[in-house]
Amino acid sequence: MKIMIKYRLLIAMLAATGAVVISMFLIMQWSIGHGFLAYVNTMEKDRLERLAQVLERAYQANGNWEFARSDEAWFRLVAASRESSDLDRVERGERRMQPPPPFPNFSGHNRPPRFQYRFEGRVLLLDAQKAKLAGLPSVQEAVQLHKITISGRIVGYVGLRPRQHLTDTYQLLFVKQQKLTMGLVAVVMFLVSAAISLPLAHRLVLPIKRLAASMHRLASGEYETRVPVGPEDELGQLARDFNTLALSLENNERARRRWVADVSHELRTPLAILRGEIEAIQDGVRQAGPESMRSLHGEVMHLSRLVDDLYQISLYDIGALTYRKEKIELKEVLEDALSSLGQEFMQKGISLSIELPRADGCTVFADPDRLHQLFSNLLDNSLKYTDAGGQLSVRLHCGQNVAQVEFADSAPGVAPDQMERLFDRLYRVESSRNRAKGGAGLGLAICKNIVEAHEGTIAALPSPHGGVLIRVELPLTGSRT
C-alpha cells in the first residue's frame, strides 16, 4: 500500500509525541504513587514523635511501663497521638494514668482484617534494653526507632514500620483520581499534538510536492520550469539547485538544437554546391573538364574536413579521444608546425615574427601529435583570417611552472564581446571569419579540447597588431595518465 509522504511524516510526528506522552504519563503515575507514599510516611513520622511525647509524660506520671502492657491502654495511648488536642489533654491530666474509658477490643480475632496496615498495627513500644513491651509481634522487623528520654536518660523506644504501599481507602481514592487526571491530560495532549501535526505536516510537504511536480514537468522536456525558492534551509537549497539544473538543461537543449541546425547548415552548403555542379555537367551546361573536376574536388575536400572536425569533436565529447603522452620539448613541436606552413604565409605576404627561447627547457608531458595539431590549427586560423600583407608574431615563453605560447596576428580584429565565443562550436564572426575563407567554426573548438586535455588554458585577447591574440598556457609538469 502506497502511503503519501505527508501521512508518513504525520505518523512519525504522532509516534514521537505518543512516546513522549506515554513516557510522561508513566513517570507521573510512578511519581504520584511514590510521592504520596513518602508524604504519608512523613506525616506518620510526625505522629510517631507526638506518640513519644505522650509516652514520656505517661512514664513520668506512672514511673514505669506497667501501664502500657495492656492492649487497651496501649492503643488508647496511640490514639492520643492522633491529634495535638489529644496531646494537650494528656498534658492537663493527672500525674497517674486514670482507668481508660471503654475502648474497642482489638485483641485476637476482633481486629479488623487490614488492621496491620494502619498506624496502630505498625507501631510498638520497647524498653531501654529494646525488649518489646507493647505492639504487634509482626512489626519488630525494619522499624524506625525513636528514643524516649526522661531527664536525659533513655527509658525506652517507640518504633514504627514505614508503609510499603498505600492501603487507606481515601488515600487510594486520591491517588486514583490523580492518575485519572494525568491520563486525561495525556489524552488531551495527544489530541492537541495530532491537531497541530496535520497542518504542520502538510506545510512541510507542500514544497516537496511542488518540487516533485516541477521535476515531472522537467522530465517531460519543459526545461523552462522553475520553482519558487523558499527560506534558507535544506528545501530552499534544493529549490535553488533544481533551478540551476533546469537552467543548465535549458541551455544545453538550446545549444543542442543550435548545434544540429548549424551542422545541418554546414553540411547542406557543400552538398548543394556538389549537386549543382554535377547536375550542370549532366545537363550539358558545363563540360566535365579539369576546371569542373577541380571545383568538385575542392567541395569534396571541404566536406571531408568538416566531417573530420565533427568526428574529432564527437570523440572528445564521449571521452574516446586518445592521447599518448610523453616528455617532449615544446620548442621542437612549435618549430615543426611553423616549418610546415611557413611557405603558405610567404605566398600570402604575411610576415612571420618568431620569438623562441635559445636553449631547450620547455619540457612538457603531452601528446606530440595533438600539440602539433593544436599549433597547426592556430597557425592555419591566422593564415585564413589575416589580410594579405599582414603579420603574425609567434612567441614561446617558459616560466617556472607554465609554458606560454602566443599567436598575435594583424587585422581584421574581433569585437571584445565576441572574443570568448570564438571557441564555441560552429561560431564565426561573419564580418571576417566567413565560410568563403574555408572555416566551419570548429578549429578553435578542437584547439580548446586539446588544451584542456593537457590541463592547460586557452584564451582570445586583442592583438597589439590589430587582430586577435591567442594565448595557450601548458603546465611544465602535467598529468601522467
Side-chain angles (χ1 to χ4, degrees), residues 199-264:
L200 181 60
H202 176 74
R203 182 177 179 83
L204 291 176
V205 173
L206 185 60
I208 301 178
K209 292 177 63 177
R210 293 174 180 171
L211 189 61
S214 300
M215 187 68 73
H216 180 73
R217 293 196 299 270
L218 186 66
S220 301
E222 300 180 18
Y223 300 119
E224 69 281 359
T225 302
R226 300 292 185 272
V227 294
V229 178
E232 296 292 333
D233 56 7
E234 289 81 359
L235 291 177
Q237 183 61 44
L238 182 60
R240 283 188 291 273
D241 293 342
F242 175 86
N243 291 338
T244 302
L245 174 63
L247 179 61
S248 299
L249 291 176
E250 185 179 8
N251 292 335
N252 290 340
E253 179 63 16
R254 189 181 299 111
R256 184 190 66 82
R257 293 177 181 178
R258 186 175 61 250
W259 165 258
V260 172
D262 291 344
V263 169
S264 300

Side-chain angles (χ1 to χ4, degrees), residues 308-309 311-313 321-323 333-334 336-337 340-341 367-381 407 442-447 449-451 454:
D308 289 341
D309 289 345
Y311 180 67
Q312 292 285 334
I313 293 291
L321 197 60
T322 58
Y323 290 84
V333 180
L334 184 57
D336 291 342
S340 63
L341 292 175
D367 187 330
D369 294 333
R370 296 300 180 189
L371 287 189
H372 189 278
Q373 180 184 7
L374 167 66
F375 296 145
S376 297
N377 283 356
L378 294 177
L379 290 172
D380 184 66
N381 189 71
F407 299 84
L442 292 174
L444 291 180
I446 294 175
C447 291
N449 293 342
I450 295 174
V451 172
H454 287 84

Side-chain angles (χ1 to χ4, degrees), residues 347-401:
Q347 292 177 357
K348 194 173 180 180
I350 299 175
S351 62
L352 283 175
S353 174
I354 303 173
E355 182 182 345
L356 301 177
R358 295 183 179 180
D360 295 338
C362 285
T363 304
V364 295
F365 191 75
D367 187 330
D369 294 333
R370 296 300 180 189
L371 287 189
H372 189 278
Q373 180 184 7
L374 167 66
F375 296 145
S376 297
N377 283 356
L378 294 177
L379 290 172
D380 184 66
N381 189 71
S382 296
L383 179 64
K384 291 177 181 177
Y385 303 120
T386 302
D387 293 340
Q391 60 177 324
L392 170 67
S393 59
V394 180
R395 176 178 173 270
L396 171 62
H397 172 73
C398 295
Q400 185 176 1
N401 298 316

Side-chain angles (χ1 to χ4, degrees), residues 85-232:
S85 59
D86 296 330
L87 181 59
D88 294 338
R89 276 198 304 272
V90 172
E91 291 178 349
R92 293 193 303 267
E94 297 181 11
R95 297 291 297 174
R96 288 182 171 274
M97 271 300 279
Q98 300 297 325
F103 197 82
N105 183 10
F106 289 123
S107 62
H109 299 286
N110 293 325
R111 296 191 185 114
R114 304 183 63 84
F115 180 76
Q116 59 179 334
Y117 299 113
R118 294 171 54 182
F119 180 85
E120 293 81 357
R122 292 181 289 108
V123 68
L124 77 163
L125 177 64
L126 306 176
D127 60 12
Q129 289 74 36
K130 295 185 179 181
K132 180 186 171 194
L133 297 174
L136 297 181
S138 61
V139 300
Q140 297 186 44
E141 64 279 353
V143 296
Q144 296 177 351
L145 296 179
H146 188 85
K147 297 178 182 179
I148 301 175
T149 59
I150 302 296
S151 300
R153 180 174 61 90
I154 299 177
V155 296
Y157 298 89
V158 61
L160 175 68
R161 183 181 64 183
R163 287 180 181 267
Q164 301 301 318
H165 49 79
L166 299 174
T167 57
D168 186 78
T169 303
Y170 295 104
Q171 294 173 356
L172 293 174
L173 181 61
F174 173 79
V175 173
K176 182 179 180 181
Q177 290 176 345
Q178 296 302 312
K179 291 183 177 181
L180 289 176
T181 303
M182 287 303 304
L184 180 61
V185 171
V187 173
V188 172
M189 290 179 61
F190 185 80
L191 294 178
V192 171
S193 175
I196 296 176
S197 298
L198 183 58
L200 181 60
H202 176 74
R203 182 177 179 83
L204 291 176
V205 173
L206 185 60
I208 301 178
K209 292 177 63 177
R210 293 174 180 171
L211 189 61
S214 300
M215 187 68 73
H216 180 73
R217 293 196 299 270
L218 186 66
S220 301
E222 300 180 18
Y223 300 119
E224 69 281 359
T225 302
R226 300 292 185 272
V227 294
V229 178
E232 296 292 333

Side-chain angles (χ1 to χ4, degrees), residues 44-62:
E44 290 187 343
K45 185 177 181 182
D46 293 340
R47 184 179 177 185
L48 182 67
E49 293 177 356
R50 294 198 301 270
L51 176 60
Q53 296 177 14
V54 171
L55 293 174
E56 288 177 3
R57 286 159 177 76
Y59 186 89
Q60 288 178 344
N62 294 273

Side-chain angles (χ1 to χ4, degrees), residues 13 90 98 239 314 327 329 418 435:
M13 296 173 66
V90 172
Q98 300 297 325
S314 65
K327 288 185 178 181
E329 282 293 332
Q418 295 179 324
R435 187 180 293 106

